[in-house]
Amino acid sequence: MSAAENGGWVAVVGLGPGSEAQVTPEVTALLAEATDVVGYAPYVARVAPREGLVHHASDNRVELERAAHALSLAAEGRRAVVVSSGDPGVFAMASALFEAWEQGPPAWRDLDIRILPGITAMLAASARAGAPLGHDFCAINLSDNLKPWALIERRLRLAAEADFAMAFYNPRSKARPDSFARVLDILRETCGPERLILFARAVCTAEERLEIVPLAEARPEMADMRTMVIVGSSTTRLVERGPGSARPPVLYTPRWAGSWAE
């Protein structure tokens, strides 16, 4: 019996940024069918145990091994779900699974593979603050684990010079405590000290914290691996609420481009 005929499948799903309310019904339904859930331990822990479901938790830096394990389970006729936070196609497990699939045995080519989207941290953070990604924007992963730092710097400068709003994933880790300071220096050189920057930490969890400051006031320690950083474009605005309102100001980027390039 071929891999396509044994009833097994593998799905890569996004669990959203943190709140169970932001897990899509499509993902919830598929998890109810699964025999196995595979992923980084904190994400696997978000899936409630039940009879007939096996949890396979692993470390954060074994993406290809994790993907190969899920594909092997599917080839055996199991229904394996690989869980990611946010959206699995944004700096997450969908790409890793296809890397392992391409490098794996020929029988894997016939497997039933499904990718189910989720709400990204980038979009959740933007919504919490207002709409800073309301015009053209780009997303950059600031980790240099899989690409050289020189490439990160080049992309930063080009994105800033093109006046994109920018969303940064993985801004600052214990292994990279100093690189985000360099990012802030590049942004100040290219965008100027008044450009608005959002630090959105642990969005959609009980530990959520939002800070919006001009680049001149941004400090490296305001970011960690649970922080989504969004830098506005030259047109991004911070608008205060009415007098006496307890609600926070709104950060948004207008839909028009302005005349910066004229």
Side-chain angles (χ1 to χ4, degrees):
M1 181 181 297
S2 73
E5 297 171 333
N6 66 10
W9 48 256
V10 59
V12 191
V13 309
L15 297 178
S19 169
E20 296 309 309
Q22 292 182 319
V23 179
T24 69
E26 183 183 30
V27 168
T28 299
L30 199 70
L31 284 169
E33 299 178 31
T35 59
D36 300 82
V37 59
V38 181
Y40 178 40
Y43 306 152
V44 170
R46 290 181 56 186
V47 179
R50 60 169 169 79
E51 185 177 355
L53 179 66
V54 181
H55 283 199
H56 304 270
S58 54
D59 186 72
N60 196 30
R61 294 204 175 189
V62 292
E63 289 91 347
L64 289 179
E65 293 91 333
R66 182 185 304 142
H69 182 206
L71 289 161
S72 296
L73 289 169
E76 295 168 6
R78 307 283 290 180
R79 301 184 298 275
V81 174
V82 181
V83 289
S84 287
S85 66
D87 181 283
V90 180
F91 306 126
M93 280 300 301
S95 182
L97 185 116
F98 283 121
E99 286 181 37
W101 171 80
E102 183 181 13
Q103 297 167 14
W108 284 2
R109 294 299 175 94
D110 292 329
L111 285 173
D112 180 358
I113 298 176
R114 313 170 189 183
I115 310 297
L116 273 59
I119 298 173
T120 72
M122 171 180 65
L123 299 182
S126 176
R128 280 290 198 255
L133 304 180
H135 193 60
D136 293 345
F137 69 90
C138 67
I140 301 175
N141 185 347
L142 295 183
S143 170
D144 60 357
N145 287 335
L146 298 175
K147 61 179 180 286
W149 178 253
L151 180 59
I152 295 174
E153 284 204 15
R154 181 168 181 264
R155 288 176 174 173
L156 276 173
R157 290 186 184 279
L158 290 172
E161 289 169 4
D163 201 27
F164 282 109
M166 293 168 274
F168 297 148
Y169 283 76
N170 302 319
R172 185 170 180 263
S173 69
K174 292 180 180 179
R176 298 178 285 108
D178 303 319
S179 59
F180 189 60
R182 177 58 182 156
V183 169
L184 292 176
D185 286 342
I186 291 170
L187 293 174
R188 291 186 188 108
E189 293 168 10
T190 313
C191 302
E194 299 304 316
R195 187 65 58 89
L196 294 168
I197 181 169
L198 164 67
F199 294 88
R201 187 178 190 278
V203 170
C204 303
T205 74
E207 294 81 39
E208 177 178 300
R209 185 179 72 247
L210 303 183
E211 295 180 85
I212 302 170
V213 297
L215 274 171
E217 298 177 18
R219 305 182 309 278
E221 58 269 21
M222 295 171 74
D224 63 13
M225 289 294 281
R226 296 189 70 193
T227 306
M228 192 77 225
V229 179
I230 296 179
V231 181
S233 73
S234 64
T235 64
T236 302
R237 299 164 54 79
L238 185 64
V239 182
E240 297 291 339
R241 302 277 188 166
S245 174
R247 294 182 178 180
V250 171
L251 182 73
Y252 87 101
T253 302
R255 295 168 298 156
W256 41 266
S259 59
W260 71 274
E262 293 179 2

